[in-house]
Amino acid sequence: MKTVDVLVVGAGLAGLTTARLIAERGLRVMVVDRRRTLSTGIRTTGIFVRRTLDDFDLPDHLLGPGIRDVLLYPPSRHDPVRLTSDRDEFRVADMAAVYEHAQHAAESAGAEVTLGVKYENVRMGVARFADAEPVTARFIVGADGARSTVARDLGLGVNRRLLIGAEYSYPVMPTTCVPAFHCVLDPRIAPGYLGWVINDGWHNHVGVAGYPHAMRGGVRRLLDAFATDAPGVVAPAGPVQRRGGPIPVGGVLRRLACPAGLLVGDAAGAVSPLTAGGLDPCLRMSELAATVAVGYLRTGDQSVLSRYDGQALRNRFRGRLLLRRVLAGVRSTTAAEAAVALLRGRAGRAFAARILFGDGSFPDVTPRLAEV
């Protein structure tokens, strides 16, 4: 039976980044994912915000043009609120290529990445799979998504508040139009969240997300209805990809680690509760997770695990969690029209710009890194 120091379940950006960082410190790391290729099963739009672009070394050639304009629409789609930054605030990545790059980086650091392997459970340090031999692991990292099986096996926190999202992504004919991010607040098509269209001049991303119990007819039907007349939509110039999946919006889970393992990425609830952005959080928390895991495995000191404390991070989310409840409470078109109207004033525009362009989307883990 193969024996490793760390088994990472899930080869998304969080899992591969954590695996690379642990392998760079000399531990034996194995990554498994049920997908046979990382270009399938993509669930994220791939929006990287300015803060991430500033703090992490992301391959520039895998990122689309910079986006500075955001337009916020009421249900009527009339008179949107336009916010323009003097800097590039968003860039949409080719996520299949980003995953391939992250896989190569993890393997170059010494991690073994095995695809087409479905994780089933772990007991007494032995991980079992549906279609491969068991593996003995000293430590398990759950990077297996919002409905993490690893979290349940280890008795860690489980995401309870979930949106469901769906998106079409496709190439477009190059134009001279200014790249823009269109957001539509309409509870009829996206209860509790938004419909969106991102046109960066290279690709169109058209999507909706909301609370599944309130999405009448299902998310796919609502996406199709939205895509017929959504602002910013242009005709495809190539194959259309479909994406979708659950999005945790309850904030970082309180119980993230135990002597048997820990959680990262969506499995840890590492998503901004308000904006539902998860790429910046997954990179930041992966650094902390890797440092904590290595420190614990080298010393055996369980107090090291307390540094990976979800409750401490949740304390920074109070305002965002409150705004999440407010957004979830917008259940009529009248309320949505009124909400967008409030953003047209000077104070409202400043508030929206702070949410969309500010640096407070996810807590900085650097101080906690220094404590490990």
Side-chain angles (χ1 to χ4, degrees), residues 51-81:
R51 186 181 179 209
T52 319
L53 299 170
D54 289 345
D55 292 350
F56 295 93
D57 185 19
L58 300 169
D60 189 74
H61 67 284
L62 302 183
L63 302 170
I67 300 172
R68 301 186 177 195
D69 284 2
V70 176
L71 289 87
L72 305 174
Y73 296 79
S76 66
R77 318 287 171 86
H78 298 313
D79 193 18
V81 177

Side-chain angles (χ1 to χ4, degrees), residues 51 311-320 360 362-364:
R51 186 181 179 209
Q311 185 57 54
L313 291 172
R314 285 183 67 86
N315 292 335
R316 294 283 304 279
F317 277 110
R318 290 174 182 171
R320 302 271 168 160
F362 194 80
D364 187 2

